Amino acid sequence: MDQKLTSSSVVNSKDVNGTAVYGIDGEKVGEIDHLIIEKNSGTVTFAVMTFGGFLGLGQDEYPIPWKKLSYDVSKDAFVTDISEEQLKGAPEAHPEWHSDREWEKRSFDYFSVPYYWM
């Protein structure tokens, strides 16, 4: 990753894709594959992350509420406090999860994140 993420308070979405994500223990847990953005407000709602071999789970994609990530300038990466247990117990994403408000509610409630639409 280059300095594109650290030089400004805004970022191009293509520069976020592929950015590493670390757990609070400092270990790399995966990377951001792509972002989900609410069309009307422009709010980033989810980061779809790949966890390649994350705690034995293999290379799978998981939508994580954007507010569960924080940017760490010193790492040039994002950090999350999501545990293995939380990830395993998260609401399972189905093919149409991104347009299913009830699934979004379950996910935001599960991760204790305020709804972006309120």
Side-chain angles (χ1 to χ4, degrees):
M1 186 59 43
D2 57 33
Q3 294 300 314
K4 292 179 184 176
L5 289 178
T6 60
S7 63
S8 175
S9 63
V10 298
V11 64
N12 188 317
S13 64
K14 72 179 182 176
D15 295 327
V16 175
N17 297 349
T19 301
V21 177
Y22 290 86
I24 54 175
D25 61 0
E27 295 294 318
K28 182 178 176 186
V29 295
E31 63 183 41
I32 296 175
D33 184 70
H34 60 279
L35 303 177
I36 303 298
I37 302 168
E38 202 276 323
K39 290 179 188 178
N40 293 324
S41 69
T43 301
V44 175
T45 60
F46 288 92
V48 178
M49 297 179 54
T50 56
F51 292 90
F54 176 63
L55 304 167
L57 294 176
Q59 181 77 15
D60 290 321
E61 290 187 348
Y62 295 90
I64 305 298
W66 181 247
K67 294 202 182 247
K68 289 301 288 180
L69 300 170
S70 60
Y71 187 70
D72 185 325
V73 175
S74 67
K75 287 182 171 50
D76 195 21
F78 290 93
V79 177
T80 187
D81 64 354
I82 295 172
S83 70
E84 174 185 9
E85 294 78 26
Q86 281 183 302
L87 187 61
K88 285 182 177 181
E92 187 172 333
H94 57 81
E96 298 300 317
W97 66 266
H98 48 80
S99 60
D100 180 347
R101 181 69 72 183
E102 291 305 313
W103 182 89
E104 287 183 308
K105 285 180 182 177
R106 285 191 307 277
S107 182
F108 275 64
D109 290 344
Y110 179 79
F111 287 110
S112 300
V113 176
Y115 302 146
Y116 68 87
W117 57 89
M118 299 184 99

